[in-house]
Amino acid sequence: MATESRVGRRRRAAPMDYDSRPVNPRDFIPVAARPSHAAPVYPGDLPERGEAIQALTREVLIRRSLEVSPTAFITIISIIQGVALGLLAENAFDRPGLLVAVQAVTMLLVLVTVFYFYLTISILLRWAPSFLDCLLPFGIAGMEIPGAFFLGNVHAWNLWLGAFWFGTFIGLWITKKWSPPSHFGTEVDAHRTLHDMLHELRLTAGTGALAVGWCGLFALLMPAGQLFWGLLGAGMVLATVTMVVARTELRSSQIHAHYGVNRPPFN
């Protein structure tokens, strides 16, 4: 009995053959139904070259516009401003001085303000972009680049910043013209608040263009007061930037409040 018991124990301890293993019900689940992150794909399931993987419908077209448009605009702005920032740093460090330092800091704040405005608008508005919509970011953001080459040149820097604010004035007018109430659904007051913001920003940009432009003109006509006109022009640009950010923060907060979203200004 002892010998048989040891043999029996050895048989029970020995590994079982494949055919003698217990049946696992999962072995009979079809492959496609098994929980897996990499389901097999057969050659016959792949589309041929040039064949659509998603047919265009109204819903698909709207979804693609919502996904692509804001990302494309912010990407364009980021690339252009990356170039402008690199040129600004290069030209600022090559010509140290009070005037160059003030103009460089002012230009940096202009870059941040343009990015901030486009980020805000991309949240509030959505539409199917046209060629004009693609042109505006290049036109406005591209005007930031030459300012980096004019550091230290009072009349050229002031005149160019005046032209920049005038271009911004035109861009704001176009944005207001092509932002109908449909962007805000039934919230008519929210749409009115947006147009109030764009109107205020247009007045600010127009006033800044005139003020900085006059500083550049006086610097050209009065060579003896270059430092004064340079610092005054930079001050006008900083005042314009401050007003643009302040009005955008306030009006954006009011628009969010219409939809029950808490977004205090400068939070």
Side-chain angles (χ1 to χ4, degrees):
M1 293 294 295
T3 304
E4 293 177 357
S5 298
R6 286 195 296 269
V7 173
R9 284 197 297 272
R10 283 197 298 269
R11 288 178 178 175
R12 287 195 297 271
M16 294 180 294
D17 296 334
Y18 179 82
D19 294 335
S20 62
R21 288 186 302 173
V23 176
N24 187 355
R26 291 175 59 86
D27 294 338
F28 294 91
I29 299 177
V31 174
R34 294 179 187 175
S36 173
H37 296 288
V41 178
Y42 301 99
D45 298 335
L46 297 176
E48 297 180 1
R49 180 177 177 83
E51 185 177 350
I53 59 175
Q54 185 182 46
L56 187 63
T57 63
R58 183 177 186 274
E59 290 73 19
V60 171
L61 183 60
I62 292 174
R63 186 177 69 250
R64 291 177 184 175
S65 297
L66 294 175
E67 293 173 352
V68 173
S69 299
T71 304
F73 287 145
I74 297 301
T75 301
I76 291 171
I77 294 295
S78 300
I79 293 174
I80 297 176
Q81 292 196 321
V83 174
L85 184 60
L87 293 172
L88 179 63
E90 180 181 353
N91 288 278
F93 288 116
D94 287 344
R95 286 174 283 180
L98 175 62
L99 179 60
V100 171
V102 172
Q103 290 177 335
V105 172
T106 303
M107 284 298 303
L108 177 61
L109 293 177
V110 169
L111 295 177
V112 175
T113 302
V114 171
F115 178 82
Y116 160 72
F117 175 77
Y118 267 95
L119 185 62
T120 302
I121 289 298
S122 68
I123 294 174
L124 299 178
L125 302 179
R126 287 288 192 277
W127 66 92
S130 65
F131 177 78
L132 181 61
D133 299 311
C134 298
L135 180 63
L136 283 177
F138 281 97
I140 295 177
M143 292 183 70
E144 300 169 326
I145 295 178
F149 293 99
F150 296 144
L151 294 178
N153 188 334
V154 176
H155 70 273
W157 191 86
N158 284 343
L159 290 174
W160 187 260
L161 265 294
F164 165 79
W165 286 119
F166 182 72
T168 304
F169 172 86
I170 296 176
L172 291 168
W173 177 80
I174 295 174
T175 302
K176 182 179 179 181
K177 179 178 177 61
W178 299 110
S179 55
S182 58
H183 288 277
F184 296 90
T186 58
E187 291 291 340
V188 180
D189 291 338
H191 175 257
R192 187 178 298 112
T193 302
L194 174 74
H195 274 220
D196 290 341
M197 180 187 78
L198 295 175
H199 177 69
E200 293 166 356
L201 296 185
R202 273 198 309 143
L203 290 179
T204 301
T207 303
L210 291 176
V212 182
W214 277 111
C215 288
L217 183 60
F218 283 128
L220 183 63
L221 299 177
M222 303 176 183
Q226 294 298 298
L227 181 60
F228 171 77
W229 293 115
L231 294 178
L232 182 61
M236 294 295 101
V237 175
L238 289 174
T240 306
V241 166
T242 301
M243 184 61 68
V244 168
V245 173
R247 301 315 300 173
T248 304
E249 279 288 302
L250 178 62
R251 294 302 188 182
S252 179
S253 175
Q254 293 174 350
I255 293 174
H256 281 73
H258 282 296
Y259 296 92
V261 179
N262 184 27
R263 185 202 179 278
F266 301 98
N267 184 23

